[in-house]
């Protein structure tokens, strides 16, 4: 917040590089504070704001919000760093980026539905402006589309939050604690959940509410897409988990087959659409849609394992998609295009962009769920967690995961492999400062794949508490069946024959 | 002291892994400073370390077992928890067993030879770091695969090897055929891997474990207690064998191996000899589960049998020498699938044991021929016996190792397979299948030999030079190993020596099939012979086989077509419905705003009028809709 207010006040003579540095510093500071909060959990902050409305500044951290706050802080800093060094109108640009960050973080920290709503709406404005001012050729249409969809999403959330107050027999209360204990009638639950699904479904997005996404991702400037896809869309997932699963468990359980179906369809639909795209940005927008589908599948099954998978998927997708767009941003900056037919042979060690392509390949493989990278543990948990509840939807999502490989390979074969176009290949190679954000994300993607506790360790208590269904085959006590200790080891002579 | 090597055998996969990670350092910047070579030498060094370590570990295990220390002979286990959350614990449980050490020694040994070979083969290439890094990555993956006791991590490794295949086939990525081969290899194997993943996910709720020994115990438990098996179990098992089917290039997932021949030859040597066997290794570990379902066993026999017969026929029709050998890989592994399907675990084990070295030798020889004669087209080669006799001998040694020709290794294993089929429910059918396949494999190998070494020199072969010693040395070392393989087997008690290694019942018909197949082929191809034109007379059939039964076209017209059609359909719907809707709403809003903008004229009177009108309208609405005040609420004013 301080950053948002401070940046516009900087004198106009400050070069944009320095503005970028200062903005990134705020992001880093936030990350640092977040990490400190992880080590020393702070007490909840409660300030009365408009007591008559029940609006209080309730901020708090738990296992669900902390990892997402860290993710947001990280992606904000990295996306700011991946902006061009000569960013036009830097003060406004970076201050809007930080404003977006402010909205998302407040939303995640909010312990009060009304405050969450305010934060949710706050995100809308800076992103619309960022797209409208700094976007691509068709930025006006993209911005309006984003604005319209987000406005509907915001209105639906407003209605849902008001309905929370309206239908609550205990009176108009907004604090999460009160909402969790509130006894809503089945009709009320249905209305509220429908509104919530509309609102958060638009935010994520989920099929068929994704109309804004390819357009916005295609037109918005790279740092904005990194932030939007990596972090802002997670607000929708967080909302579904917090409000849907958390406050309306009965209706959620009753509707979950439909929600799972929407998730599975999103997964297949996004992947299929990604196969035929001819622009890298649009391809990634649809890929993102597919991955959000997996997330929704995990949420709908609502077993401890699948919820863990959903949280892991939020984090994993956050860093993977940020990395993807960071690479795309580099490609676009150097070659001037993201059209797949115009690019080829970028793997070329001397005149291509081998380093960027290496990272892009890694990110695509992570998105395709290749083991050893961040996407795999998340997908595994979602699949394993949802299998017992929704075997068909899980199977469909597995097929979608196969399609993921198809577009990943198609993209890489066209863009990375093949012959370099000698006429056009006179690009400058990327320098270290340009690569740095993507490299940091690459390290994270690999680290999370090798040590997935980084994705799942935060939210274990919360997601077990929120789970609506159990998985009887998993025992929580010591987990004996999975270790070798329980198995009598055969002798070597027996092994020799087997 | 020596036992220390066995206890630390889990380090073996780490050496090549480190090598492949270090290869990443040779980004273009460093290459331009040092050239690509140091990276190759680094990889070779670390791979050699891995070989020495695994060989030492194997010897340690042997010497300790010979001393009779039963406690030491127990498999050593190690574990690493990868993920533990919400009651699910996934850990890399490893067992250092004798089979694993043997396999690691073979894998690392072959890698050392192949990396030396590759230094010669890729003399002038700039892509060393990528290529050697990928080779080492493969070695790391395979060594980890033989060490792990977890089906889950076997899947993980198979999937990583799939990615490795993509990268290594794509080494020479600016050629269209290479790009296509890399794509097909990745996607075909990914299909198998994904089905395997689906099976894994479905298996866990039933068995509660992913560890092979746990699964074995579970299967034994089911049989001993006579528990009714879950109805979905056969389906799950079918899903589980899809992974090995893809890896072992069995029909219908065989397409990739042939296309992967576009990769540099040294990687082909490894892929066709040890990497494909990785799939078979997983299949063997799954055998206790497979025994539970007769349906799955039948499927294995059918898939394996069909592949064995058909692939060896296809191999006969190939004119690309590398492809001719690659189909023989599918064929041989098909026999292994038959053995597993018939429950002959030790037979399958022996088939797996005798296979890698001869196949690697054959491909090394072929590489030496291809690189000096500039062509891999069999019809352009010939007459090399007078110029390159040693390579010819090496080829014959490798061929003898794969066809049933005593005293070489393949004979003993194939004879055991014959014995196994004799005990099965269809002894005649399956016995004939093995005999035919063996005859066809022999014919295919002798055909390649005849077309390269027999006949008269062609334009390509008249000036055939000897290869670099870097390629010749590993080839002849391997030839020596292949020649000693039967002896090694006999010493270790794998095969009996009576009077030849592995001689026993049904040996004669098997030998006859080899002689008939090889003999006929020799008659056709060793010298220009009038009968040599006979296959051409087959016309369409030969053409059909030469094009791999049009499998690629078949896939194009079915699977690929379906996916593309679905993708186009969803793109259309997105374009028309979703995008149309949001686009229409967006443009409607923009258009509305534009129209509205015309209403601003800038005249103050107009604004004032609007305001007044608005206020009046609002007042009128309020007055009209104001409810009549209930009389009891109107209190008299005091």
């Amino acid at each position: 917040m301080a950053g948002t207010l401070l940046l516009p006040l900087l004198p106009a003579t400050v070069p944009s590089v320095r503005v970028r540095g200062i903005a990134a510093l705020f992001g880093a500071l936030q990350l640092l504070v977040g990490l400190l909060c992880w080590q020393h959990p702070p007490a909840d902050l409660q300030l009365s704001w408009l007591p008559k409305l029940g609006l209080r500044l309730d901020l708090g951290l738990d296992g669900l919000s902390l990892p997402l706050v860290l993710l947001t802080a990280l992606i904000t800093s990295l996306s700011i760093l991946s902006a061009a060094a000569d960013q036009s109108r830097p003060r406004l640009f970076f201050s809007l980026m930080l404003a977006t960050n402010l909205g998302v973080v407040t939303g995640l920290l909010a312990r009060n539905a009304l405050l969450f709503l305010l934060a949710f709406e706050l995100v809308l404005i800076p992103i619309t402006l960022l797209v409208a001012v700094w976007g691509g050729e068709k930025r006006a249409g993209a911005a309006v589309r984003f604005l319209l969809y987000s406005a509907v999403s915001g209105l639906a959330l407003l209605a849902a939050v008001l309905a929370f107050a309206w239908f609550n027999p205990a009176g108009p209360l907004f604090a999460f604690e009160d909402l969790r204990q509130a006894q809503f009638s089945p009709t009320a639950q249905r209305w509220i959940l429908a509104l919530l699904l509309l609102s958060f479904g638009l935010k994520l997005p989920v099929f068929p509410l994704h109309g804004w996404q390819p357009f916005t991702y295609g037109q918005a400037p790279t740092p904005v897409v990194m932030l939007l896809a990596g972090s802002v869309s997670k607000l929708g997932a967080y909302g579904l988990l917090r409000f849907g699963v958390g406050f309306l468990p009965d209706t959620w359980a009753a509707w979950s087959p439909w929600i799972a179906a929407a998730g599975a369809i999103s997964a297949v639909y996004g992947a299929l659409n990604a196969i035929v795209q001819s622009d890298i940005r649009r391809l990634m927008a649809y890929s993102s849609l597919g991955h959000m589908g997996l997330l929704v599948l995990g949420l709908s099954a609502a077993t401890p394992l699948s919820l863990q998978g959903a949280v892991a998927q939020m984090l994993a997708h956050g860093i993977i998609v940020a990395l993807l767009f960071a690479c795309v941003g580099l490609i676009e900056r150097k070659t001037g295009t993201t059209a797949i037919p115009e690019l080829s042979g970028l793997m070329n060690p001397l005149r291509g962009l081998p380093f960027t392509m290496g990272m892009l390949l890694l990110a695509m493989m992570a998105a395709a769920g290749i083991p050893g990278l961040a996407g795999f543990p998340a997908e595994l948990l979602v699949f394993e967690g949802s299998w017992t509840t929704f075997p068909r939807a899980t199977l469909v999502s597995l097929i979608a995961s196969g399609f993921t490989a198809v577009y990943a390979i198609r993209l890489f074969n066209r863009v990375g492999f093949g012959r370099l176009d000698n006429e056009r290949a006179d690009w400058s190679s990327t320098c270290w400062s340009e690569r740095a954000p993507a490299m940091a994300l690459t390290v994270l993607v690999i680290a999370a794949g090798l040590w997935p506790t980084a994705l799942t360790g935060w939210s274990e208590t919360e997601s077990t508490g929120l789970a609506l269904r159990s998985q009887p085959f998993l025992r929580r006590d010591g987990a004996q069946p999975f270790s070798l200790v329980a198995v009598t080891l055969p002798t070597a002579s027996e092994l020799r024959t087997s | 002291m020596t036992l220390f090597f066995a206890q630390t055998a889990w380090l073996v996969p780490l050496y090549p892994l480190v090598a492949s990670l270090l290869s990443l350092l040779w980004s273009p910047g460093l290459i331009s400073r040092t050239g690509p070579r140091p990276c190759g030498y680094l990889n070779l060094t670390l791979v050699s370390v891995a070989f020495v370590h695994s060989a030492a570990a194997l010897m340690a295990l042997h010497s300790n077992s010979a001393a009779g220390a039963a406690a030491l002979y127990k498999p050593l286990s190690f574990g690493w928890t990868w993920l533990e959350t919400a009651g699910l614990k996934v850990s890399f449980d490893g067992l250092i067993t004798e089979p694993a050490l043997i396999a690691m020694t073979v894998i690392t040994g072959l890698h050392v030879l192949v990396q030396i070979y590759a230094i010669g083969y890729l003399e002038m290439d700039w892509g060393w770091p990528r290529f050697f890094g990928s080779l080492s990555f493969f070695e790391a993956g395979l060594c980890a695969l033989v060490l792990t006791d977890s089906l889950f991590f076997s899947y993980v490794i198979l999937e990583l090897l799939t990615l490795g295949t993509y990268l290594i086939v794509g080494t020479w990525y600016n050629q269209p055929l290479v790009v296509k081969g890399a794509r097909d290899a990745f996607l075909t194997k990914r299909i198998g891997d994904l089905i395997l993943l689906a099976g894994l996910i479905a298996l866990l709720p039933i068995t509660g474990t992913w560890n092979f020994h746990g699964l074995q115990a579970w299967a034994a438990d089911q049989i001993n207690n006579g528990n009714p098996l879950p109805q979905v179990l056969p389906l799950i098992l079918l899903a589980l064998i899809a992974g090995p089917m893809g890896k072992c290039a069995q029909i219908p997932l065989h397409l990739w191996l042939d296309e992967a021949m576009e990769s540099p030859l040294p990687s082909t040597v490894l892929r066709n000899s040890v990497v494909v066997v990785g799939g078979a290794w997983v299949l063997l570990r799954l055998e206790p589960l497979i025994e539970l379902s007769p349906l799955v066993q039948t499927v294995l026999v059918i898939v394996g049998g069909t592949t064995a017969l058909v692939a060896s026929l296809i191999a006969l029709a190939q004119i690309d020498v590398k492809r001719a050998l690659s189909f023989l890989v599918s064929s041989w592994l098909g026999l292994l699938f038959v053995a597993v399907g018939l429950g002959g675990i030790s037979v399958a084990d022996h088939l797996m044991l005798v296979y890698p070295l001869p196949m690697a030798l054959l491909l090394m020889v072929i590489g030496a021929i291809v690189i000096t004669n500039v062509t891999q087209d069999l019809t352009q080669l010939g007459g090399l016996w007078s110029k390159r006799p040693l390579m010819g001998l090496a080829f014959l040694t490798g061929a003898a190792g794969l066809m049933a020709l005593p005293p070489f290794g393949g004979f003993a294993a194939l004879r055991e397979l014959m014995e196994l089929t004799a005990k099965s429910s269809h002894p005649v059918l399956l016995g004939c299948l093995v005999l035919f396949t063996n005859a066809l494999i022999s014919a295919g190998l002798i055909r390649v030999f005849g077309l390269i070494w027999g006949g008269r020199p062609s334009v390509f072969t008249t000036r055939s030079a000897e290869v670099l010693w870097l390629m010749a040395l590993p080839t002849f070392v391997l030839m020596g190993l292949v020649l000693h393989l039967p002896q090694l087997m006999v010493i270790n008690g794998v095969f009996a020596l009576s009077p030849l290694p592995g001689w026993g019942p049904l040996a004669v018909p098997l030998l006859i099939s080899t002689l008939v197949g090889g003999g006929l082929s020799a008659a056709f191809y060793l010298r220009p012979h009038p009968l040599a034109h006979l296959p051409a007379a087959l016309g369409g059939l030969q053409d059909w086989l030469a094009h791999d039964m049009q499998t690629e076209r078949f896939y194009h017209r079915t699977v690929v077509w379906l996916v593309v059609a679905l993708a186009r359909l969803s793109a259309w719907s997105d374009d028309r419905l979703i995008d149309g809707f949001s686009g229409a709403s967006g443009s409607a809003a923009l258009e509305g705003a534009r129209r509205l903008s015309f209403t601003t004229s800038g005249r103050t009177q107009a604004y004032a009028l609007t305001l007044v009108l608005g206020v009046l309208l609002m007042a009128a609405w309020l007055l009209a809709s104001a409810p009549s005040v209930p009389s009891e609420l109107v209190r008299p004013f005091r």
Side-chain angles (χ1 to χ4, degrees):
Chain A
M1 185 157 155
T4 316
L5 297 179
L6 196 69
L7 279 189
L9 302 178
L10 286 176
T13 48
V14 177
S16 62
V17 181
R18 201 160 299 162
V19 182
R20 187 178 73 172
I22 295 170
L25 205 62
F26 279 109
L29 200 66
Q30 192 181 41
L31 187 64
L32 203 67
V33 173
L35 286 173
L36 279 178
C37 289
W38 170 41
Q39 288 299 325
H40 311 282
D44 287 5
L45 172 75
Q46 298 197 341
L47 285 178
S48 194
W49 191 354
L50 284 174
K52 278 189 184 164
L53 276 177
L55 178 61
R56 290 181 317 182
L57 196 67
D58 275 1
L59 298 179
L61 270 176
D62 67 1
L64 286 183
S65 47
L66 177 63
L68 290 172
V69 168
L70 291 178
L71 175 77
T72 307
L74 177 83
I75 290 184
T76 309
S77 349
L78 293 179
S79 61
I80 286 173
L81 281 179
S82 63
D86 52 348
Q87 177 68 45
S88 63
R89 300 163 85 179
R91 285 171 300 159
L92 185 59
F93 183 85
F94 293 119
S95 116
L96 286 176
M97 292 284 284
L98 288 180
T100 315
N101 168 285
L102 170 71
V104 178
V105 170
T106 317
L108 293 171
L109 290 179
R111 280 277 158 282
N112 180 311
L114 219 49
L115 190 60
F116 180 83
L117 171 71
L118 281 181
F120 194 81
E121 303 279 6
L122 173 63
V123 176
L124 162 85
I125 303 159
I127 295 228
T128 311
L129 285 175
L130 283 167
V131 176
V133 178
W134 288 273
E137 280 172 20
K138 298 176 186 163
R139 55 181 178 268
V144 169
R145 204 180 284 201
F146 175 76
L147 185 67
L148 280 178
Y149 272 81
S150 301
V152 174
S153 161
L155 280 179
L157 184 63
L158 174 66
V161 169
L162 289 180
F164 266 133
W166 190 281
F167 289 114
N168 195 340
L173 297 168
F174 294 108
F176 284 176
E177 270 313 304
D178 302 325
L179 288 177
R180 190 171 303 136
Q181 287 153 8
Q183 302 289 325
F184 295 107
S185 70
T187 328
Q189 287 207 9
R190 264 178 241 135
W191 276 105
I192 302 175
L193 187 60
L195 287 167
L196 286 177
L197 284 178
L198 175 65
S199 167
F200 295 133
L202 279 163
K203 196 79 190 175
L204 264 173
V206 180
F207 175 83
L209 305 172
H210 62 277
W212 60 273
Q213 193 196 23
F215 221 60
T216 311
Y217 284 16
Q219 295 298 323
T222 312
V224 180
V225 193
M226 280 172 72
L227 191 60
L228 183 60
S231 152
V232 177
S233 69
K234 305 298 170 293
L235 211 52
Y238 172 78
L240 279 182
L241 183 54
R242 180 72 83 189
F243 291 81
V245 184
F247 302 153
L248 308 164
D250 305 335
T251 317
W252 184 272
W255 285 11
S256 57
W258 298 100
I259 303 173
I265 292 174
S266 290
V268 173
Y269 188 85
L272 278 176
N273 260 306
I275 293 178
V276 284
Q277 294 308 312
S278 58
D279 184 277
I280 308 181
R281 280 161 164 269
R282 286 181 67 92
L283 184 149
M284 283 171 187
Y286 284 109
S287 143
S288 208
L289 173 66
H291 285 98
M292 291 298 108
L294 293 185
L295 203 163
V296 170
L297 172 69
L299 288 179
S300 69
T303 59
L305 211 54
S306 77
L307 288 184
Q308 279 292 69
V311 175
Q313 176 78 343
M314 287 185 215
L315 300 175
H317 180 255
I319 49 177
I320 293 171
V321 83
L323 174 58
L324 282 171
F325 276 108
C327 295
V328 175
L330 285 177
I331 294 175
E332 191 177 14
R333 193 180 301 165
K334 294 300 167 190
T335 67
T337 179
T338 55
I340 297 174
E342 289 180 29
L343 295 166
S344 78
L346 292 189
M347 277 277 279
N348 192 302
L350 289 179
R351 296 169 63 199
L353 304 168
F355 203 87
T356 313
M357 290 317 286
M359 292 192 291
L360 180 72
L361 177 69
L362 186 116
M364 291 305 290
M365 288 301 147
I370 293 287
L373 302 170
F376 176 68
E379 290 187 13
L380 175 77
L381 286 176
V382 168
F383 290 146
E384 191 64 66
S386 320
W387 171 258
T388 38
T389 320
F390 300 119
R392 281 183 206 167
T394 310
L395 214 54
V396 170
S397 305
L398 265 165
I399 296 173
S401 166
F403 292 148
T404 320
V406 177
Y407 65 71
I409 288 296
R410 179 178 168 272
L411 173 70
F412 202 77
N413 264 3
R414 300 268 173 96
V415 175
F417 287 175
R419 251 179 241 283
L420 196 63
D421 184 355
N422 278 330
E423 302 288 312
R424 299 179 58 235
D426 50 354
W427 312 308
S428 56
S429 59
T430 49
C431 61
W432 286 102
S433 64
E434 287 174 313
R435 293 173 189 169
M439 282 171 65
L441 287 166
T442 307
V443 171
L444 282 177
V445 166
I446 297 174
L450 295 179
W451 187 62
T453 312
L455 301 174
T456 59
W458 316 91
S459 55
E460 180 120 22
T461 332
E462 278 75 12
S463 43
T464 316
L466 285 173
L468 309 176
R469 299 185 178 92
S470 66
Q471 263 156 338
F473 69 93
L474 295 175
R475 283 200 270 144
R476 289 193 55 74
D477 47 4
Q480 280 296 320
F482 298 95
S483 80
L484 263 179
V485 188
V487 185
T488 44
L489 291 176
T491 61
S493 54
E494 279 170 19
L495 273 171
R496 196 188 298 178
T497 54
S498 63
Chain B
M1 169 58 207
T2 48
L3 196 63
F4 170 77
F5 288 113
Q7 281 164 337
T8 52
W10 52 271
L11 278 170
V12 172
L14 296 182
Y15 306 124
L17 187 67
V18 167
S20 71
L21 290 179
L22 286 179
S23 305
L24 289 176
L25 290 178
W26 269 266
S27 62
L30 193 57
I31 291 185
S32 57
R33 233 171 293 157
T34 67
R37 284 183 166 258
C39 181
Y41 301 146
L42 174 86
N43 274 281
L44 179 60
T45 313
L46 280 170
V47 167
S48 308
V49 171
F51 170 64
V52 171
H53 191 154
S54 45
L58 184 62
M59 282 193 278
L61 205 64
H62 265 286
S63 56
N64 280 298
S65 71
L72 296 178
Y73 204 43
K74 267 193 178 170
L76 308 157
S77 67
F78 62 95
W80 166 61
T81 303
W82 176 67
L83 171 65
E84 184 170 12
T85 183
L88 175 74
K89 182 176 172 187
V90 186
S91 53
F92 186 100
D93 293 323
L95 283 182
I96 300 168
T97 59
E98 197 192 359
L101 286 180
I102 295 174
M104 283 209 300
T105 313
V106 172
I107 293 166
T108 49
L110 268 180
H111 260 88
V112 173
L113 292 179
V114 166
Q115 293 213 353
I116 297 173
Y117 185 88
I119 291 176
Y121 193 86
L122 295 174
E123 255 267 271
M124 313 294 273
D125 204 285
W126 275 79
W128 278 36
R130 260 180 314 132
F131 184 75
F132 279 87
S134 308
L135 282 188
S136 298
F137 183 71
F138 264 96
E139 178 181 339
L142 284 170
C143 288
L145 180 71
V146 297
L147 279 179
T148 185
D149 188 46
S150 160
L151 177 59
F152 174 78
F153 275 95
S154 302
Y155 155 76
V156 166
I157 293 163
L158 289 187
E159 187 86 283
L160 284 174
L161 292 187
T162 301
L163 175 61
T165 307
Y166 175 68
L167 291 177
I168 211 162
V169 175
T171 306
W172 292 326
Y173 53 78
N174 52 14
Q175 302 170 12
L177 259 180
V178 167
V179 175
K180 181 168 155 291
R183 179 195 69 192
D184 291 350
F186 185 85
L187 292 181
T188 322
K189 285 165 83 172
R190 187 88 214 277
I191 291 173
D193 294 343
L194 265 183
I195 301 176
L196 171 61
L197 176 64
L200 273 176
I201 286 172
L203 187 69
L204 187 62
I206 297 177
T207 60
T209 178
W210 272 329
N211 280 350
F212 287 116
H213 283 98
L215 293 174
Q216 200 177 352
W218 179 83
D221 198 43
Q222 301 293 309
I223 294 173
N224 294 340
N225 299 340
N227 292 345
L229 292 170
Q231 287 196 332
V232 288
L233 189 69
L235 272 180
I236 295 176
L237 289 178
L238 283 179
L240 290 181
I241 62 171
M245 269 171 64
K247 210 67 188 173
C248 293
Q250 299 295 297
I251 290 174
L253 298 175
H254 64 291
L255 178 73
W256 71 271
L257 189 63
D258 151 53
E259 294 210 39
M261 292 301 121
E262 297 300 334
S263 63
L265 196 126
S267 69
T268 310
V269 175
L270 285 177
R271 183 175 330 104
N272 286 10
S273 60
V274 283
V275 178
V276 288
V277 175
W281 178 275
V282 176
L283 186 73
L284 280 175
R285 313 284 314 256
L286 282 174
E287 209 272 343
L289 281 182
I290 293 171
E291 265 181 34
L292 292 178
S293 164
L295 170 75
V296 180
Q297 288 187 314
T298 316
V299 169
L300 276 180
V301 171
I302 292 174
V303 166
T306 319
T307 310
L309 201 60
V310 173
S312 53
L313 265 175
I314 295 177
L316 272 179
Q318 297 300 311
I319 55 167
D320 179 340
V321 56
K322 285 165 83 179
R323 292 181 190 233
L325 288 179
S326 90
F327 281 106
L328 290 182
V329 172
S330 296
S331 177
W332 181 273
L333 293 175
L335 293 179
L336 196 150
F337 268 60
V338 172
V340 176
L342 293 177
I345 192 85
S346 66
V347 178
D349 209 16
H350 295 164
L351 280 169
M352 194 164 78
L353 216 50
V354 297
Y355 165 80
L357 296 183
M359 182 48 91
L361 176 59
L362 287 176
L363 282 158
M364 280 191 176
V365 174
I366 293 303
I369 297 298
V370 166
I371 196 163
T372 48
N373 297 292
V374 214
T375 181
Q376 52 197 57
D377 184 341
L378 277 173
T379 58
Q380 305 293 324
L381 292 163
L384 279 179
W385 184 251
S386 55
K387 299 171 195 299
R388 309 279 295 278
L390 281 179
M391 281 294 172
L393 274 179
F395 186 90
L396 283 179
T397 312
L402 283 184
M403 54 175 102
L405 189 69
F408 293 97
F411 171 77
L414 285 172
R415 193 200 59 77
E416 286 180 1
L417 181 62
M418 280 296 289
E419 237 182 317
L420 185 69
T421 55
K423 288 178 201 149
S424 69
S425 52
H426 297 87
V428 179
L429 180 70
L430 292 176
C432 287
L433 176 91
V434 176
L435 290 179
F436 259 117
T437 308
N438 176 46
L440 287 169
I441 290 178
S442 315
L445 288 168
I446 295 296
R447 168 177 173 267
V448 171
F449 177 80
L451 286 174
I452 296 179
W453 281 274
R456 294 191 193 90
S458 71
V459 183
F460 284 91
T461 56
T462 41
R463 296 167 65 94
S464 179
E466 195 49 79
V467 285
L468 273 181
W469 67 270
L470 282 165
M471 292 169 70
L473 179 74
T475 311
F476 292 116
V477 169
L478 192 57
M479 179 179 160
L481 283 175
V482 172
L483 284 173
H484 284 84
L485 190 63
Q487 200 182 349
L488 273 174
M489 298 282 192
V490 170
I491 290 173
N492 284 295
V494 181
F495 299 132
L497 187 68
S498 59
L500 291 166
W503 191 269
L506 295 168
V508 177
L510 191 65
L511 183 56
I512 292 175
S513 81
T514 311
L515 293 178
V516 169
L520 276 176
S521 177
F524 272 123
Y525 294 107
L526 271 186
R527 286 181 176 283
H529 191 278
L531 282 177
H533 299 291
L534 191 64
L538 293 170
L541 178 65
Q542 200 218 5
D543 196 48
W544 187 64
L545 287 174
H547 287 94
D548 185 14
M549 307 182 296
Q550 305 290 6
T551 311
E552 204 184 331
R553 195 187 291 175
F554 171 76
Y555 278 131
H556 257 281
R557 291 188 180 167
T558 52
V559 182
V560 177
W561 183 86
L562 185 72
V563 171
V564 169
L566 277 175
R568 292 220 174 107
L569 179 73
S570 63
W572 175 85
S573 80
D574 211 62
D575 206 35
R576 292 297 156 90
L577 305 178
I578 310 282
D579 208 43
F581 168 72
S582 71
S585 54
S587 48
L590 277 181
E591 182 63 15
R594 200 176 63 88
R595 292 272 170 83
L596 273 178
S597 69
F598 292 144
T599 59
T600 51
S601 54
R603 287 195 193 125
T604 325
Q605 312 90 298
Y607 292 141
L609 184 65
T610 318
L611 269 178
V612 172
L613 277 178
V615 169
L616 282 179
L617 273 174
M618 199 180 284
W621 178 69
L622 281 175
L623 288 175
S625 61
S628 54
V629 183
S631 56
E632 66 268 19
L633 284 182
V634 184
R635 289 186 195 147
F637 184 73
R638 276 187 224 170

